[in-house]
Structures are given as structure tokens and as C-alpha cells.
Amino acid sequence: MLLSLAIRDLVLIEALDLDFRAGLGVLTGETGAGKSILLDALGLAMGARADSGLVRQGAERALVIAGFDPGDHAGVAALLHDNDIAQEPGEPLLIRRQVRADGGSRAFVNDQPVSAALLRDLGAMLVEIHGQHDDRGLINPKGHRDLLDSFGRCDVAGVAAAWREWQAAERAFTAASEAIESAMRDRELLEHNLEELAAFGPQPGEEEELAGERAAMQKGERLSGDLAELFETFEGSKGALALLRGAARKLGRIAEEHPLLDQAMEALDRAMIEADDAEAKLRAASEALTYDAVRLDELERRLFDLRALARKHNVAGDLLPDLLKRMQADWAALESGGANVAELDRARHKAREAYVAAADALSAARAKAGIALDAAVMAELKPLKLDAARFRTLVEPLDEARWGASGKDHVEFLISTNPGSDFAPLMKIASGGELSRFILALKVALAEQGGAATMIFDEIDRGVGGAVASAIGERLARLARGTQLLVVTHSPQVAARGSQHLLIAKTSDGTVARTGVRTLDDAGRKEEIARMLSGAEITPEARAQADRLLEGV
């Protein structure tokens, strides 16, 4: 809801601060007083094109600040969140727009710089402006389907769920079909590579094991001569161990003769133990480094083939077993792929049938709701002096290429303003006054469906009076219950319905003209309505008629 509007140096307005209330607010004033300036100011705050001609002559810039209570509007909250704009609960949402005399402009939401495009998105959620040149809101066919669905309480959610399932099934079928087509193209290559890898039979960790064994055998080849010489040192009757044992026997016979001989015997025993251990380790090393020319050739050939396969498939040697498993899985998928694709094909056709059934039911519900909406709007046309006009909700099927989560229907509101004339979109055949009254009739028919928290009607009563103006006023007051509706009006019957009355007046000191706005009290309202009834000179009869209008609402 619009809470406040502050304007500085905009056209004829030097400084103006306005507060607004819920309910029906009416804006009146003589022709040329500047009522459109207020709408221009609000339009700037809503992201309208900035024009340097709006800046008051002699000023450097124009400024408009609009304060709103966003309530619990989920769309507004999401838009602010997505753009990192903080909004404290209970605090007004402040939109500020400034236009410089040189043509530049800046926009802010809660003091954070934003684009004019963001203002337009935000403004569309906060305010509906219905005027003679408005091409949004109810006039735009893009929103007609949603309005009809809301009016008829149609099950769009079920259709949306069926649509998502169908599209998921289509994607699964397409992916599987493309995969099997690709596999079929590469079938011969896959078969060759699979046979080659399977025949080779790579094992996990094999490259490291082969390289290690090969390196050990190459060392054995290099160290074989040294090892042979060492074994000759240890073995035989003249080997080191044999000499040590002979010395130990001789020393054992005389060791008791002297303590030092006994100690020498102990040292010799330790030496023989260490020599035995050294011989055992030499023998183990010789076995580990055994050189076998045939085995070495086998190792090198296996290792060479393994690394060649790894290079061919552009993988590490240790990953060849995993590659073999993937190839085997691909081959199995290729063998069973036809059956899988056939199953997915059946699933997508079944999902399409489910979507079509749900969408057909939605189409039927829309057709039924369209008939009800037509009747509701037609009931409002006669009191609004549109009794010759006809209203029709068009529900027609879309081409399958345009089906979607909202169903398979195009919905548009059409009118015929004269007997025998064809139905056509609102914008194409309705005059300014007729268009506003059609919108009012639609709004009344769709009243329970809600909309923006603030609605503005610009001169909806143009060219009508008497009973028609009274009917317009009554419907505006009905619409304003529980929301905020602002009306620029020339009709006393409409003005009398207002719960807040703003008078717009232009003054001049002979050199500078200024537009001002003031909120009228009860006495001021009576006097303004009397002026609207009588013209330049307010007569007692006009004041009496104003009293009757005010008492009758």
C-alpha cells in the first residue's frame, strides 16, 4: 500500500508531501490544475522513463520519494532478497528517484542504488495504474490466463507436475537414444578395444609390480659377479667360516689356561654367529636378485605392452582395469540398449498421455470459468453505460510446440462495443473512457482474485455522469474495501464515495505557477463537490446537492 509521496521541483510542484490511507482516495481539481503531475511523479518512482522536462524550471533536479507498506507480498520479498536489498519488518519500503536537469537520473530502494528496470519490476507488484494509455495489467493478454485460472480456481499445479514428469521422460529417452546411437557408431571400435584389453587382462597395481621386479632382476644381473666372489669367500674348506670354526676348535682346547684366552673364545663365538647371519643374508639377497634372462624378457615385454595400451587410451597404466570394466559396461549397455530405449519410449508416451489428460481437464475448467466470468462482467457493463457491449473470454488450443506447465490454452479477454461488430482485444476497439470502464467491470468481477495492494484509475468517469457516474463510484468503493484505490476524477458522484479527498490546485503570482495539494476535511469536501456540480460559481443548490451525495454514501 502507498503510504506517502514526497515531491520536490517536479514541473509545477516546488515541494509537496502527501500521506495516503487505505480505502478509496479521490483526487479532484479544475482542468489544468496538475492532477497528471501526481501520476507522473508516482510513475517515476515506478520506473517510468525519466525526462529532463519534468524538472521544474530553474531547479537542478527533481526528486520523488514514495513510501510503501509491502505487507507480506512474497514477490516483493523475493525481489528484494535477490537484489540484496534489506527490508526491516514494520518499516516502510522507500523508493527514491531523482532526475537531473541535464537528463540523467538515479534510482534507490531503501537507499541502495538500483536500475530503472528493477523499479519497474517492483512497481508492477506494488501498484496497478489503469488509464487511457495503459498497456499493462488487465489489458495485457499475457496475464489473462492466470486471472482466469484464479477466478475459476483451476488446477494448474496438477498440470505443471504432469508437464515436468513428461519433460523428464522426454529428456531420459533422448539421452538414452543419443547414447545408443553414439555407441552403435563406435561399435566396431569398442568391440576391438574390449577384446584387446580383455585378452591382455590388466590387473590392479600391475605396472608397479612389473617395474619393481624388472628393476630387481636388472640389479641382480649387474651384481652377480660380486655376489659370486663373496660366496667363494664364505664357502669351502678355505672359506672364512671354515677358518673361523677351525680357529675356534683350537682356541677351545686352551681357553681355560688364561682368562684372556677365554675372553678371546667368547669374541670368536660372536664373530661366527655374525658371519653365519651375514652368509644367510647374502644367500637371501642372491635369491631376490636372481637374474633370469627369459623372465626378464617376459617382464619387459609385458610392461611395454601395458604402457602402450595406457598411451593408446590416454589413461594411466594403473587405470586400465577400470577402463576395461567401463568398456564391458558399455558393451552390456549396447547389447541391452534397445530394450532400455524401448522402455523409456513407452514411459514418455505414458507421461505425455497423463499430461494431455490433465491439460484437457484444465481446458474444460477454463472454458467453464470463462462462461462464468463472461456472465459476471456482462452483469457489470449495463450500469456502466456499456449495455451495447459484449465481453467474451477466448479459450483456444495452442500448437503442441507452445504447450507448457500452464497447459495448452491461449486465453484472452475480448470485447465488442457495438451490436454486430466483431470481438477484438480491449486495446484495439475501446475508447479511453470505455476502456477504463471495461477494466472496472473486470476488476469488480475478479475482485476476489486480488492484485497489487494499490490501484489507480485515471479519469475512469470521463464523458459520463448521473447514474453511470454513481454506478462507477459505487463499484470503486466496493473495490476499495480491504485495499487502497486512488481515483483521479471529475465526477462529484465518484468524489462523494471517497474516504480520503485530495484537492489539486494551481496558483500563480503572475510570474511563477505552482501546483499544490491539500487533504480536505468534511467541510472542504462538501465545498469541492459543490464546485464540481455547479462550476465556477458555487450556488446554494449545489451545496444542497453535495450534502445529498455525501449523505447517500
Side-chain angles (χ1 to χ4, degrees):
M1 185 181 79
L2 179 64
L3 300 176
S4 62
L5 187 65
I7 306 172
R8 298 291 184 272
D9 295 322
L10 185 76
V11 193
L12 299 179
I13 298 176
E14 186 174 2
L16 186 63
D17 294 285
L18 297 174
D19 294 321
F20 297 91
R21 301 195 296 265
L24 178 59
V26 296
L27 293 81
T28 67
E30 295 183 358
T31 300
K35 295 185 290 295
S36 63
I37 299 177
L38 289 182
L39 296 185
D40 289 340
L42 188 57
L44 276 177
M46 298 297 98
R49 181 177 177 272
D51 187 344
S52 60
L54 294 172
V55 181
R56 188 173 65 86
Q57 187 174 3
E60 294 182 358
R61 65 177 184 174
L63 176 66
V64 177
I65 303 175
F68 288 90
D69 177 5
D72 56 358
H73 196 300
V76 171
L79 187 62
L80 296 178
H81 177 270
D82 291 345
N83 288 275
D84 297 323
I85 300 174
Q87 176 62 37
E88 296 297 329
E91 292 296 319
L93 175 66
L94 296 178
I95 299 176
R96 176 161 53 98
R97 185 85 180 275
Q98 62 184 39
V99 182
R100 296 194 303 272
D102 62 8
S105 73
R106 298 186 68 189
F108 302 85
V109 174
N110 286 350
D111 289 328
Q112 179 169 319
V114 298
S115 66
L118 177 61
L119 284 194
R120 286 191 290 273
D121 292 340
L122 188 59
M125 299 179 190
L126 295 170
V127 179
E128 290 181 23
I129 301 179
H130 301 295
Q132 298 182 54
H133 307 293
D134 181 42
D135 60 354
R136 298 175 298 173
L138 294 181
I139 297 175
N140 192 336
K142 291 182 179 179
H144 292 178
R145 185 169 60 190
D146 290 342
L147 287 170
L148 180 64
D149 289 340
S150 182
F151 175 82
R153 293 178 172 81
C154 301
D155 180 20
V156 183
V159 173
W163 168 261
R164 289 191 296 270
E165 291 180 8
W166 176 26
Q167 295 309 298
E170 287 285 354
R171 289 191 296 271
F173 170 77
T174 300
S177 299
E178 291 176 350
I180 196 169
E181 286 177 7
S182 176
M184 289 299 292
R185 288 193 299 268
D186 300 333
R187 182 186 181 98
E188 291 185 4
L189 178 61
L190 175 62
E191 184 176 15
H192 170 75
N193 289 336
L194 180 58
E195 289 178 353
E196 183 180 45
L197 266 180
F200 183 80
Q203 300 299 316
E206 183 178 7
E207 182 179 19
E208 183 178 356
E209 291 178 5
L210 289 173
E213 187 178 353
R214 173 173 173 258
M217 191 164 289
Q218 288 174 334
K219 288 180 182 178
E221 182 183 15
R222 188 176 69 249
L223 299 176
S224 59
D226 294 334
L227 289 173
E229 291 180 5
L230 284 170
F231 276 122
E232 288 179 3
T233 301
F234 277 89
E235 295 177 346
S237 58
K238 294 183 178 180
L241 281 174
L243 293 175
L244 283 174
R245 290 188 185 102
R249 285 194 297 272
K250 292 178 182 179
L251 186 58
R253 290 195 292 269
I254 62 173
E256 294 179 356
E257 300 297 329
H258 194 278
L260 289 175
L261 294 175
D262 186 57
Q263 293 174 13
M265 186 65 203
E266 291 176 359
L268 190 58
D269 285 340
R270 291 195 298 272
M272 286 190 296
I273 293 172
E274 291 295 330
D276 283 335
D277 186 47
E279 182 186 30
K281 285 182 169 55
L282 279 172
R283 195 171 299 281
S286 177
E287 292 174 357
L289 296 172
T290 299
Y291 169 67
D292 183 338
V294 175
R295 176 58 181 164
L296 179 60
D297 183 62
E298 291 176 351
L299 288 172
E300 289 183 334
R301 187 167 56 251
R302 178 75 178 179
L303 187 59
F304 175 82
D305 290 344
L306 185 147
R307 288 174 174 172
L309 280 172
R311 286 193 300 272
K312 176 180 178 180
H313 296 288
N314 196 29
V315 298
D318 288 340
L319 296 181
L320 284 175
D322 294 334
L323 178 62
L324 175 59
K325 290 180 182 178
R326 289 200 301 273
M327 286 185 177
Q328 290 169 336
D330 290 344
W331 184 259
L334 185 61
E335 293 291 298
S336 62
N340 183 46
V341 170
E343 178 62 29
L344 291 174
D345 189 32
R346 287 191 292 272
R348 71 172 179 137
H349 283 295
K350 184 177 180 181
R352 183 186 185 279
E353 291 172 359
Y355 169 79
V356 170
D360 285 343
L362 177 59
S363 298
R366 283 171 172 161
K368 182 178 179 181
I371 294 172
L373 179 59
D374 293 349
V377 174
M378 289 296 293
E380 297 294 332
L381 295 182
K382 186 174 181 180
L384 296 175
K385 202 179 178 180
L386 294 168
D387 45 312
R390 292 173 297 156
F391 176 87
R392 187 175 78 184
T393 303
L394 174 67
V395 181
E396 61 180 3
L398 293 168
D399 295 336
E400 183 168 345
R402 298 173 62 193
W403 292 0
S406 297
K408 52 183 186 139
D409 305 307
H410 168 70
V411 176
E412 186 171 359
F413 301 148
L414 304 176
I415 62 169
S416 170
T417 55
N418 297 299
S421 62
D422 294 333
F423 283 92
L426 295 174
M427 279 291 288
K428 292 188 176 180
I429 64 173
S431 66
E434 288 176 331
L435 183 58
S436 294
R437 280 177 278 150
F438 264 113
I439 290 173
L440 178 58
L442 263 173
K443 268 297 182 184
V444 172
L446 296 167
E448 292 185 2
Q449 314 319 315
T454 299
M455 288 184 288
I456 298 175
F457 282 88
D458 184 13
E459 299 188 356
I460 190 174
D461 49 15
R462 178 185 290 270
V464 300
V468 176
S470 294
I472 291 173
E474 187 274 329
R475 281 154 179 78
L476 290 172
R478 194 193 316 169
L479 270 181
R481 294 170 187 164
T483 186
Q484 182 185 55
L485 198 154
L486 302 176
V487 181
V488 176
T489 180
H490 292 285
S491 170
Q493 292 89 343
V494 173
R497 293 277 182 175
S499 57
Q500 182 182 23
H501 194 146
L502 301 175
L503 176 62
I504 304 170
K506 183 166 65 175
T507 60
S508 175
D509 59 7
T511 57
V512 178
R514 294 181 175 84
T515 292
V517 182
R518 61 188 179 93
T519 302
L520 300 179
D521 56 15
D522 290 343
R525 290 187 66 199
K526 173 183 173 181
E527 198 69 7
E528 171 61 7
I529 292 173
R531 181 200 64 76
M532 297 171 73
L533 287 164
S534 64
E537 182 180 349
I538 302 176
T539 64
E541 292 79 5
R543 290 190 175 93
Q545 179 64 16
D547 281 335
R548 286 192 291 271
L549 285 175
L550 290 168
E551 290 171 359
V553 295

